[in-house]
Amino acid sequence: VAVDVELSPVEKALQVIAALRTLGFRAAKPAAPAAPPPPPAAEDDWVIFPEEGDRPTYFWNRRSLHSSWLPPAGLGPPAWHGYLDLASGRPYFRCA
């Protein structure tokens, strides 16, 4: 493959790429970046907010900030319980 030395570096690169394509070479597609897996949640990371009034029980992970209406798979009784102080409207937590 002959490359003209009088060309600009960009034109030279384009000639080399064209020559490689005629030989069957193709650019590799970049792999999609994989999202890092969430850290494993320890049982003591989960807080249960018990049913209160018309609000059903829900679960919240203090580390990942994930919340769920369903108990997480493999979760035993959560170590922490969350409650709402009706006087101040602020949540508080109690270790079971």
Side-chain angles (χ1 to χ4, degrees):
V1 174
V3 176
D4 188 353
V5 293
E6 300 297 321
L7 297 175
S8 72
V10 173
E11 291 170 325
K12 287 179 194 177
L14 292 173
Q15 277 192 353
V16 170
I17 291 170
L20 289 172
R21 286 186 178 155
T22 61
L23 296 173
F25 289 96
R26 297 283 180 253
K29 292 182 180 178
E43 285 194 15
D44 62 345
D45 288 340
W46 285 97
V47 176
I48 182 172
F49 286 85
E51 181 177 342
E52 190 173 295
D54 61 345
R55 189 198 74 211
T57 298
Y58 71 96
F59 300 84
W60 174 66
N61 188 293
R62 298 181 304 151
R63 182 179 303 188
S64 68
L65 304 180
H66 176 78
S67 61
S68 174
W69 296 113
L70 303 173
L75 178 68
W80 291 92
H81 292 262
Y83 299 94
L84 184 64
D85 179 26
L86 297 177
S88 68
R90 299 179 68 189
Y92 68 94
F93 304 94
R94 183 176 63 102
C95 186

